[in-house]
Amino acid sequence: MIALGLEGSANKIGIGIISHSPSKPPVILANLRHTYNAPPGEGFLPKETALHHRAWVVRLIKQAIHQAHITLADISCICYTKGPGMGAPLQSVVLAARTCALLWDKPLVGVNHCVGHIEMGRSITGAENPVVLYVSGGNTQVIAYSANRYRIFGETLDIAIGNCIDRFARTLLIPNDPFPGYNVEQLAKKGTHFVDLPYAVKGMDASFSGILAAADVLAKGLDESLPEDKRLKTEDGELVTRADLCFSLQETIFAMLVEITERAMAHVGSKQVLVVGGVGSNERLQQMMGIMARDRGGSVFATDERFCIDNGIMIAHAGLLEFQTGVTTPLEESTCTQRFRTDEVYVGWRD
């Protein structure tokens, strides 16, 4: 079976084609993506992002089919991101998916974006039954599988961790190309001074809005036009740099994630952690999670930017898993939603 997947829940439009065969690993036939980048200091707005997706979706579908060396007759189903995500971009993608389904007479499958990340991560890494840390621009959740559902053990109480990083990048006017989180990560590698920031773990949940607010206030002290006595300094009197603040932000928020993930591992008795979502490509997060897991006699699984960052192949893969259990989305029900929780999906393809 072959599925075409369309992803466009945020600023990336992704088209993927995947093949499933009995008793064989999935085969990725095509995985194309194009990103809408706003100017430095600005975030991507829904309207402009949706227009970007509409401008690129047809050419990416054509390129993906050409790259996969298949015909339209080979495609078993059309999979699209039902949610969660930004309303206007989601609508642009579901419109394209409906159009393809009608033109080619193919069944539709609406896919939960979060489940797409999890299933792609499991397939690529081979993780068997891990605790999943799902971290992206719009989501922060600690998840474990039980009784045909991905159960949420902890999550953000306000903004997602990726949103926290992205918004701080805007404060420092860090470029959005290739993406703000990557540029913050590169700056953080040059940081040498740790600046105290609020640490907000509440049970199994975390809060990032207060940390962002505190970091924004501290960032005002980086202005080189300020008098020397007004500049932000360490306790030793050394000037704090942009790199120091990026380093401090990462260390604080990643430590919070490690804490709640370790608690979930202890609860479910798992020794494996699977990190998925765009922030999951951060090397420092993978390193910190690895230290914790090794101390528990466990291991960490993560993918590279091809599969961590939003992509069409994860939607094709998860959608095909659903399709193989008999799940389809009737045309009149092929809607999208900004709020679609991970634990709402019945995971009929797992024991």
Side-chain angles (χ1 to χ4, degrees):
M1 286 187 174
I2 294 176
L4 171 71
L6 293 82
E7 154 58 23
S9 59
N11 68 326
K12 296 168 182 65
I13 175 73
I15 306 296
I17 300 177
I18 198 166
S19 173
H20 286 189
S21 302
S23 305
K24 293 182 180 179
V27 178
I28 297 170
L29 303 178
N31 188 22
L32 304 179
R33 179 171 56 209
H34 196 272
T35 302
Y36 170 68
N37 284 315
E42 299 180 19
F44 52 90
L45 299 176
K47 180 180 178 181
E48 284 76 9
T49 306
L51 290 172
H52 166 268
H53 291 0
R54 293 179 189 180
W56 278 90
V57 65
V58 172
R59 72 184 84 176
L60 288 177
I61 291 174
K62 288 180 177 179
Q63 289 175 18
I65 292 173
H66 177 73
Q67 187 180 107
H69 301 294
I70 62 170
T71 66
L72 298 182
D74 297 323
I75 297 174
S76 305
C77 60
I78 309 293
C79 310
Y80 73 93
T81 302
K82 184 179 179 69
M86 299 174 70
L90 282 172
Q91 289 172 0
S92 64
V93 171
V94 70
L95 177 62
R98 284 197 209 108
T99 303
C100 290
L102 286 169
L103 284 173
W104 305 338
D105 192 27
K106 303 292 183 181
L108 274 171
V109 181
V111 177
N112 180 286
H113 180 85
C114 316
V115 172
H117 273 297
I118 295 170
E119 291 303 339
M120 197 71 242
R122 288 181 61 236
S123 176
I124 294 295
T125 64
E128 295 177 1
N129 190 26
V131 168
V132 179
L133 175 65
Y134 172 36
V135 279
S136 68
N139 300 275
T140 302
Q141 296 176 338
V142 177
I143 302 162
Y145 172 80
S146 176
N148 296 111
R149 301 273 178 178
Y150 282 116
R151 313 289 176 172
I152 299 172
F153 280 74
E155 58 190 323
T156 177
L157 295 173
D158 37 53
I159 62 174
I161 187 169
N163 187 242
C164 174
I165 295 171
D166 291 353
R167 284 165 63 178
F168 188 61
R170 288 180 226 164
T171 299
L172 297 184
L173 298 179
I174 293 173
N176 291 319
D177 188 17
F179 55 96
Y182 174 82
N183 295 327
V184 168
E185 178 185 0
Q186 302 317 306
L187 259 181
K189 291 177 180 178
K190 301 174 183 177
T192 55
H193 300 112
F194 180 79
V195 180
D196 283 332
L197 290 168
Y199 185 96
V201 169
K202 303 178 181 181
M204 281 298 294
D205 299 324
S207 172
F208 300 103
S209 59
I211 301 168
L212 174 62
D216 283 347
V217 170
L218 291 174
K220 294 178 181 178
L222 300 179
D223 189 346
E224 295 180 0
S225 65
L226 290 173
E228 183 74 16
D229 60 334
K230 300 292 184 181
R231 298 277 301 277
L232 181 63
K233 297 180 181 180
T234 66
E235 292 181 357
D236 297 330
E238 295 187 52
L239 289 175
V240 173
T241 65
R242 297 162 82 240
D244 292 334
L245 275 188
C246 290
F247 165 72
S248 303
L249 179 69
Q250 278 198 170
E251 293 296 303
T252 303
I253 59 181
F254 291 167
M256 292 162 54
L257 295 179
V258 170
E259 178 183 337
I260 60 177
T261 303
E262 182 175 20
R263 200 174 292 132
M265 291 175 69
H267 180 79
V268 303
S270 175
K271 291 186 179 295
Q272 294 183 340
V273 180
L274 172 63
V275 185
V276 299
V279 181
S281 63
N282 187 293
E283 294 176 357
R284 179 55 179 158
L285 173 59
Q286 294 178 13
Q287 181 186 40
M288 292 174 69
M289 200 63 68
I291 293 170
M292 178 274 290
R294 285 192 295 274
D295 286 347
R296 298 182 59 82
S299 54
V300 170
F301 296 83
T303 62
D304 59 30
E305 294 173 7
R306 292 173 298 167
F307 306 109
C308 263
I309 297 171
D310 292 350
N311 59 86
I313 204 70
M314 72 183 196
I315 302 303
H317 177 56
L320 196 50
L321 289 174
E322 288 195 70
F323 182 70
Q324 289 168 326
T325 65
V327 174
T328 58
T329 304
L331 190 67
E332 60 273 16
E333 297 177 16
S334 59
T335 58
C336 55
T337 174
Q338 292 181 267
R339 290 173 174 80
F340 187 10
R341 286 183 63 80
T342 313
D343 50 9
E344 291 181 40
V345 180
Y346 181 78
V347 185
W349 56 90
R350 289 192 63 177
D351 297 330

